[in-house]
Amino acid sequence: MSLQKPLMRGLLAKRLRFHVPIAFALSILAAVGWKYGVTEPRKQAYADFYKHYDAVKEFTAMREAGVFQSVRPTAK
């Protein structure tokens, strides 16, 4: 009894039929995981930060600390 010859004809198409749907499903899964695992918490963190952020208060604090060259601190 001899060994069977390897089937080379159509091998690429056969492999692609198997691997392309798996790759597509994994990429969709990774994209959904990234959206809900990274971007949504990041957007929520930015929204929470800017909900109570007072830009004028931060500006006056930096002005009093002498951060700006063009705006002098107010003399008390």
Side-chain angles (χ1 to χ4, degrees):
M1 181 168 197
S2 65
L3 293 175
Q4 182 182 3
K5 293 173 88 175
L7 299 175
M8 301 302 277
R9 185 176 303 252
L11 184 62
L12 177 63
K14 182 180 174 185
R15 293 285 192 166
L16 285 178
R17 264 193 308 267
F18 179 75
H19 286 101
V20 167
I22 293 172
F24 185 74
L26 288 176
S27 65
I28 294 295
L29 183 67
V32 168
W34 183 264
K35 177 174 175 42
Y36 291 109
V38 175
T39 59
E40 291 298 323
R42 186 179 293 170
K43 286 191 328 188
Q44 187 61 42
Y46 274 102
D48 293 341
F49 175 77
Y50 283 112
K51 191 180 299 180
H52 302 291
Y53 180 71
D54 186 11
V56 175
K57 180 180 166 188
E58 290 293 322
F59 171 74
T60 55
M62 287 189 283
R63 182 180 65 196
E64 296 304 320
V67 173
F68 304 116
Q69 294 178 357
S70 62
V71 180
R72 301 242 184 242
T74 55
K76 289 185 180 180

